[in-house]
Amino acid sequence: GRGAAKNKGLRGTKNAHTAPTTSADEPAMAQLRVAPGGEHVLPKEPPQTGGFDFGLAARNARLAAAAGAAARMPAPMSTGTTICGVVYAGGVVLGADTRATGGSEVADKNCEKIHYLAPNIYCCGAGTAADTEKTTELIASQLELLRLGTGTQSRVVAATTLLKRTLFKYQGHVSAALVLGGVDCTGPSLYQIYPHGSTAKLPYVTMGSGSLAAMSVFETRYADGLDEAAAIALVKDAIRAGIFNDLGSGSNVDVTIIRTGGEATVLRGYETPNDTRPLREAYVRPKALVPVKATAVLSTQVEVTDADAMEL
């Protein structure tokens, strides 16, 4: 009899299959809406907080579409770039051009694209200039902390792992294509790192918009067991090929040598094939040029009185 009364009581209640609500549930229950079929539907959940948010990319696309084809959206400065590296018998040689572009304009004629990571590790960067610089600065700081914590020399594979994890985390939104070279206890190493985080260990590497021109030089002249002079000449000529055959590359050739002992030599402006000083010095300018029918200069002496000085 008690069970029947209990069942009867449940049948008599409204929405008997739902749990009793408390005062804490009332705000959530108030937000319920009834679908056409009579079912209760919860509101959409708020956007997830934490992690990485690329909502600004969608916003920029909407702004560009609303502005139309005539409007010009601001663009990041790109390094345009030819970078390369080669492993030789006594270490690694890295090379880069020095042109940075903003669209079709040359933004910087002497941009430094070979970045310090550790005393025995350097990295060439292609892509967005700000991304390459700040990414390598971040990894250089992490490697310094790692050296202080372990008391040992930085390993090239450790730098590569830190870089690839950082880039993979951003899924290619950080535009940094890197050529990393260094020497550690395992010998000289050279890595190619793509913006999405994939890597490859190779004897010679080229990246950037002028990489095809540079690769043609490597494919023609590379040989195992190069000495230092031959490796530097090979890298220099590869960068020159990019400078003279790619509009995004230009200006000078920078070279960095990292030797087996761990010491590095940075040769900024190793070659300047586009130096304009000889051309400017060869041009003879007139000492004085007075346009036709111009007012003659009667005097070049200027006197300032006290009254004039007060007005100034």
Side-chain angles (χ1 to χ4, degrees):
R2 219 176 313 159
K6 185 176 180 181
N7 291 336
K8 184 177 179 181
L10 285 175
R11 283 197 300 271
T13 58
K14 187 178 181 180
N15 295 334
H17 62 280
T18 58
T21 60
T22 62
S23 58
D25 297 326
E26 290 176 0
M29 296 297 293
Q31 296 178 8
L32 289 175
R33 63 182 180 86
V34 180
E39 298 178 353
H40 290 90
V41 180
L42 287 171
K44 292 183 178 180
E45 295 182 0
Q48 181 181 357
T49 59
F52 297 99
D53 182 13
F54 299 105
L56 292 180
R59 181 208 66 175
N60 293 341
R62 290 195 300 270
L63 289 175
R72 181 179 178 184
M73 300 297 292
M77 187 174 69
S78 172
T79 56
T81 301
T82 302
I83 56 175
C84 66
V86 64
V87 177
Y88 73 97
V92 176
V93 179
L94 301 176
D97 73 302
T98 61
R99 172 178 289 181
T101 57
S104 59
E105 294 84 18
V106 176
D108 188 355
K109 294 181 180 179
N110 197 26
C111 175
E112 187 173 4
K113 302 181 184 180
I114 304 180
H115 309 283
Y116 168 90
L117 289 183
N120 59 315
I121 305 171
Y122 281 76
C123 183
C124 305
T128 302
D131 289 348
T132 59
E133 291 180 9
K134 293 306 174 183
T135 301
T136 52
E137 285 179 8
L138 173 66
I139 301 305
S141 174
Q142 294 178 1
L143 290 173
E144 176 71 19
L145 293 174
L146 188 61
R147 286 197 301 276
L148 292 173
T150 61
T152 59
Q153 185 187 53
S154 294
R155 296 282 292 271
V156 181
V157 69
T160 305
T161 302
L162 290 172
L163 279 168
K164 70 189 297 184
R165 286 179 177 175
T166 301
L167 294 174
F168 178 77
K169 183 169 60 176
Y170 286 92
Q171 291 291 294
H173 291 277
V174 173
S175 178
L178 308 172
V179 173
L180 185 146
V183 176
D184 55 21
C185 59
T186 63
S189 302
L190 184 67
Y191 287 89
Q192 182 181 36
I193 307 174
Y194 284 93
H196 287 81
S198 60
T199 60
K201 184 178 182 181
L202 299 166
Y204 58 89
V205 170
T206 66
M207 293 195 83
S209 56
S211 60
L212 292 179
M215 182 57 74
S216 68
V217 176
F218 277 108
E219 294 285 3
T220 303
R221 294 168 43 187
Y222 174 80
D224 292 334
L226 292 171
D227 60 9
E228 183 173 309
I232 293 174
L234 180 60
V235 167
K236 179 199 71 174
D237 291 342
I239 298 299
R240 284 176 60 98
I243 288 174
F244 291 112
N245 293 280
D246 173 50
L247 292 178
S249 307
S251 297
N252 309 325
V253 180
D254 286 351
V255 172
T256 296
I257 306 106
I258 309 165
R259 300 180 180 86
T260 306
E263 68 276 6
T265 302
V266 178
L267 303 175
R268 190 89 163 92
Y270 177 73
E271 186 168 292
T272 56
N274 295 300
D275 189 6
T276 59
R277 283 178 296 180
L279 179 63
R280 293 177 183 275
E281 292 171 357
Y283 180 76
V284 179
R285 293 177 176 81
K287 294 183 179 179
L289 182 62
V290 179
V292 179
K293 297 182 180 180
T295 304
V297 178
L298 302 178
S299 175
T300 58
Q301 300 294 325
V302 179
E303 295 182 2
V304 181
T305 62
D306 293 340
D308 294 334
M310 290 294 293
E311 292 180 1
L312 294 175

